[in-house]
Amino acid sequence: MDWDDLRIFLAVARTESLSAAGKRLKIDPATVGRRVARLEEATATRLFAKSPQGYALTEEGARLVPHAEAAERASLAAEESLSGPGGLTGQIRLGAPDGCANYLLPQVLARICDANPGLEVQIVALPRVFNLSKREADMAIAVSRPEAGRLTVQKLTDYHLHLAASRDYLAAHPLTGPDDLPSHRFIGYIPDMIFDKELDYLAEIGAGPAALASNSVSVQLNWLRHGAGVGVVHDFALPAAPELARVLTDRISLTRAFWLIRHEGDGRLDRLNRFADQLTREVRAEMARLESAVRLSETQA
């Protein structure tokens, strides 16, 4: 069985589309279709069922996937063994929620790439859970620990969130205690687009529904910066928004965690292990730096 045909089979299985698989592999869809047909002929098995929705795995195709993934891991491990123990090289795609991707990872990954000039890193910032089984990313950061799937999970770091608003807003709309909250306009997530219960901040603190809502943390933060209301903000994002001030910190405080999620079989790949180790160290150090900077600025105010 030809590994290159298996590689193309995996791309179609993960994307459920010849065109999407071709785009991922940088070959034209017609070639993808021919290679899938060749593999089906070689195995005398129908691997996909075609429909208007795309290419769905048949029962036989689903049974082939773990074997193709094992071949993929073996190929990657062989490449690593030839590259030697030097700095990290190649491309790594990391999925992350919006807030983490915008206000924590850029500086962290810039330092890692500075130390490893041959490394290329892609951040996929999406406000939803990543499907690692479809190889949307090599690894992902999540706000809750997954309970199912062939995955390895490690805790990256805790982080903290507080109510915040712009100083101009607070000057015009004082907020001195929890009893004042009903009179304020809240900014938060669109309720039916909260993809993880850990993000339902307003419900947890007993606030009313968000009058201004977005599935993007960056949009929410910019509303707050422009004095549109009050919202729950990651402490680590506040150094990027000096217009904002935390409020009621002694009464309302939330703690969450980021988790690093990887394919179960990738634990044998030294390059990804070393990247995960560096990422963990740098994220923890940067989180400590950013949250300390927020507390220090408040003592100096």
Side-chain angles (χ1 to χ4, degrees), residues 84-201:
L88 291 169
T89 60
Q91 185 183 95
I92 294 176
R93 178 177 290 182
L94 177 64
D98 188 33
C100 177
N102 277 285
Y103 303 107
L104 180 63
L105 290 181
Q107 59 271 38
V108 164
L109 294 174
R111 288 198 291 269
I112 292 175
C113 287
D114 285 345
N116 300 276
L119 181 65
E120 300 175 14
V121 179
Q122 298 177 345
I123 300 177
V124 183
L126 289 176
R128 62 170 175 81
V129 177
F130 281 83
N131 190 334
L132 288 183
S133 66
K134 292 188 175 181
R135 290 284 172 173
E136 292 181 332
D138 295 297
M139 56 185 72
I141 295 172
V143 294
S144 62
R145 183 181 187 126
E147 300 298 330
R150 296 167 52 215
L151 305 167
T152 59
V153 183
Q154 70 180 84
K155 188 175 182 179
L156 271 181
T157 182
D158 287 324
Y159 62 96
H160 302 89
L161 307 101
H162 292 87
L163 280 177
S166 74
R167 290 176 174 79
D168 289 344
Y169 175 89
L170 292 171
H173 308 85
L175 178 51
T176 58
D179 291 342
D180 294 337
L181 292 177
S183 65
H184 289 267
R185 180 166 63 189
F186 274 89
I187 293 164
Y189 284 102
I190 300 170
D192 61 359
M193 297 185 75
I194 296 176
F195 66 89
D196 192 300
K197 61 181 176 56
E198 296 289 342
L199 303 180
D200 198 1
Y201 308 133

Side-chain angles (χ1 to χ4, degrees), residues 1-283:
M1 196 176 292
D2 187 286
W3 155 240
D4 208 42
D5 288 346
L6 283 176
R7 181 174 67 94
I8 291 171
F9 161 77
L10 273 180
V12 177
R14 289 164 177 165
T15 63
E16 300 180 346
S17 162
L18 296 185
S19 59
K23 190 173 184 180
R24 179 176 289 192
L25 298 171
K26 296 181 173 61
I27 57 179
D28 69 86
T31 301
V32 174
R34 287 195 298 272
R35 299 295 285 277
V36 168
R38 187 170 83 173
L39 182 61
E40 289 183 325
E41 182 179 352
T43 58
T45 305
R46 189 179 181 212
L47 301 173
F48 294 99
K50 185 180 179 182
S51 74
Q53 287 72 44
Y55 280 69
L57 285 166
T58 62
E59 184 178 342
E60 293 80 4
R63 289 203 299 267
L64 180 59
V65 167
H67 300 288
E69 289 179 335
E72 178 183 56
R73 289 192 295 271
S75 175
L76 291 171
E79 290 178 15
E80 284 192 1
S81 69
L82 295 175
S83 64
L88 291 169
T89 60
Q91 185 183 95
I92 294 176
R93 178 177 290 182
L94 177 64
D98 188 33
C100 177
N102 277 285
Y103 303 107
L104 180 63
L105 290 181
Q107 59 271 38
V108 164
L109 294 174
R111 288 198 291 269
I112 292 175
C113 287
D114 285 345
N116 300 276
L119 181 65
E120 300 175 14
V121 179
Q122 298 177 345
I123 300 177
V124 183
L126 289 176
R128 62 170 175 81
V129 177
F130 281 83
N131 190 334
L132 288 183
S133 66
K134 292 188 175 181
R135 290 284 172 173
E136 292 181 332
D138 295 297
M139 56 185 72
I141 295 172
V143 294
S144 62
R145 183 181 187 126
E147 300 298 330
R150 296 167 52 215
L151 305 167
T152 59
V153 183
Q154 70 180 84
K155 188 175 182 179
L156 271 181
T157 182
D158 287 324
Y159 62 96
H160 302 89
L161 307 101
H162 292 87
L163 280 177
S166 74
R167 290 176 174 79
D168 289 344
Y169 175 89
L170 292 171
H173 308 85
L175 178 51
T176 58
D179 291 342
D180 294 337
L181 292 177
S183 65
H184 289 267
R185 180 166 63 189
F186 274 89
I187 293 164
Y189 284 102
I190 300 170
D192 61 359
M193 297 185 75
I194 296 176
F195 66 89
D196 192 300
K197 61 181 176 56
E198 296 289 342
L199 303 180
D200 198 1
Y201 308 133
L202 297 185
E204 183 168 338
I205 67 175
L212 294 173
S214 173
N215 66 330
S216 166
V217 168
S218 296
V219 172
Q220 295 175 35
L221 194 74
N222 280 316
W223 262 328
L224 292 168
R225 292 176 65 194
H226 287 90
V230 179
V232 175
V233 178
H234 305 76
D235 283 5
F236 65 77
L238 287 171
E243 308 91 339
L244 302 185
R246 300 193 303 176
V247 291
L248 307 183
T249 55
D250 59 335
R251 308 291 292 274
I252 297 174
S253 179
L254 304 177
T255 301
R256 295 290 190 269
F258 285 132
W259 302 86
L260 183 63
I261 305 168
R262 299 175 57 190
H263 304 274
E264 184 180 56
D266 285 355
R268 293 190 290 272
L269 298 177
D270 180 65
R271 182 175 70 102
L272 293 183
N273 289 337
R274 287 191 288 143
F275 176 80
D277 288 344
Q278 291 188 34
L279 179 67
T280 300
R281 288 195 301 272
E282 291 289 346
V283 161

